[in-house]
Amino acid sequence: MNARSVNAEYSQLLAPIDDFLHCATPKAWLDEARKPERLPVLLVDHANCEMKAAMSAHSLVRRYCLPREQRKLLPNLDFYKSLDALPEKGEVLGKQTQTADNRRVFDELAKNDLLVKMVRLIQEELHHFEQVLEIMESRHVPYSTLSASRYARGMLAHVRTFEPAAIVDRLIIGAYIEARSCERFARLAPFLDEELSRFYVSLLRSEARHYQDYLTLARDYAGACIADRIAFFGEQEAALIQSPDPLFRFHSGVPGSSAQGRR
């Protein structure tokens, strides 16, 4: 799959993402990512990113969809892996096994847009995680501990400490993470082997929808214009992507001469 075919097929999908992001992935990062010796780090970090995305979405559901005393009703992440179809309603939380009182809780949760979008995202991210693990196994790439990049941490440092500002900020950050993932899948695909190229291209549609879901929820929670806040985090994200980075990761910045892989 060459760059021309990828761009022709997905230019319409990527156009709004390119408009949303404040910068493109630097050529220096792509040049580094194309090196065969970087593939194990990319795959391990990609798997980590998929799991972290699922955990972040689950955390939002726990924190913002239920009162503290009812959060224990939510299943753990393993529950979502067992689902055969993408959930559309609150039934995904297993309300059929709950008491009558708890069913009323889940009836209310089913009306929550955050719940519905995040549960769908959780299942998709866990599925992607399993897919990456399968690719790693087929290529004899061990799944090992890999330190996180500064990327998400650098943006989360700017989250406000009061509500609803905090959830609005977290949702905006989620949008940028998903959008950048989508952009990098597209930029990397033409330079990878056929299997990986097809896989990364297959991820574009879901990742593109994820960033839009996060933005929609951020606007809903804010109840007011958040254009300035979106722009602020866009600037922070671009600064992280364009500045020198001591670690090479899927969302890292410009590799420096001392950039490291595993550690």
Side-chain angles (χ1 to χ4, degrees), residues 15-184:
I17 291 173
D18 289 339
D19 288 341
F20 176 62
L21 296 172
H22 286 221
C23 72
T25 288
K27 182 177 181 297
W29 186 91
L30 282 172
D31 289 343
E32 190 71 18
R34 294 171 61 181
K35 296 178 180 178
E37 62 267 28
R38 287 303 195 184
L39 185 59
V41 170
L42 276 179
L43 289 174
V44 173
D45 197 46
H46 181 184
N48 287 342
C49 288
E50 299 290 359
M51 179 56 71
K52 288 175 185 177
M55 293 174 65
S56 294
H58 189 249
S59 177
L60 288 173
V61 171
R62 289 179 61 85
R63 184 168 182 177
Y64 294 102
C65 289
L66 281 176
R68 185 181 299 273
E69 65 273 10
Q70 295 173 337
R71 290 175 189 172
K72 63 181 181 295
L73 298 177
L74 289 176
N76 58 31
L77 286 177
D78 287 338
F79 173 82
Y80 302 100
K81 296 180 185 179
S82 66
L83 300 176
D84 293 326
L86 289 176
E88 298 291 346
K89 297 284 186 179
E91 283 85 355
V92 70
L93 296 175
K95 72 178 183 181
Q96 69 275 8
T97 66
Q98 304 295 327
T99 65
D101 287 342
N102 288 344
R103 285 178 187 172
R104 284 192 288 273
V105 172
F106 288 110
D107 284 336
E108 290 303 312
L109 282 173
K111 304 173 186 176
N112 189 302
D113 283 343
L114 175 65
L115 173 81
V116 174
K117 286 184 170 64
M118 290 299 100
V119 168
R120 288 178 62 88
L121 186 147
I122 289 167
Q123 191 181 17
E124 288 182 348
E125 302 290 17
L126 289 175
H127 178 58
H128 297 163
F129 172 74
E130 298 289 350
Q131 287 179 301
V132 179
L133 290 186
E134 289 177 5
I135 290 173
M136 290 168 55
E137 183 177 3
S138 70
R139 294 167 184 250
H140 307 291
V141 176
Y143 184 64
S144 56
T145 301
L146 194 65
S147 58
S149 72
R150 64 183 186 175
Y151 180 74
R153 183 173 65 252
M155 287 192 287
L156 288 169
H158 300 284
V159 171
R160 292 169 290 183
T161 57
F162 54 94
E163 299 293 359
I167 187 174
V168 170
D169 286 352
R170 290 180 180 277
L171 290 168
I172 293 171
I173 290 170
Y176 276 107
I177 293 174
E178 296 291 337
R180 180 60 65 185
S181 297
C182 191
E183 188 254 4
R184 289 207 161 167

Side-chain angles (χ1 to χ4, degrees), residues 148-246:
S149 72
R150 64 183 186 175
Y151 180 74
R153 183 173 65 252
M155 287 192 287
L156 288 169
H158 300 284
V159 171
R160 292 169 290 183
T161 57
F162 54 94
E163 299 293 359
I167 187 174
V168 170
D169 286 352
R170 290 180 180 277
L171 290 168
I172 293 171
I173 290 170
Y176 276 107
I177 293 174
E178 296 291 337
R180 180 60 65 185
S181 297
C182 191
E183 188 254 4
R184 289 207 161 167
F185 290 145
R187 300 289 184 260
L188 269 174
F191 305 111
L192 301 172
D193 60 68
E194 186 69 19
E195 180 191 30
L196 277 177
S197 179
R198 264 201 301 249
F199 175 56
Y200 276 12
V201 166
S202 74
L203 297 178
L204 294 181
R205 284 195 177 92
S206 61
E207 300 294 344
R209 189 188 70 253
H210 292 170
Y211 105 86
Q212 293 166 344
D213 285 346
Y214 272 116
L215 278 184
T216 297
L217 289 167
R219 293 186 177 107
D220 289 346
Y221 269 87
C225 179
I226 56 173
D228 289 348
R229 202 64 185 163
I230 293 173
F232 169 79
F233 279 109
E235 293 168 0
Q236 303 306 313
E237 199 269 350
L240 290 164
I241 290 296
Q242 293 179 308
S243 59
D245 201 327

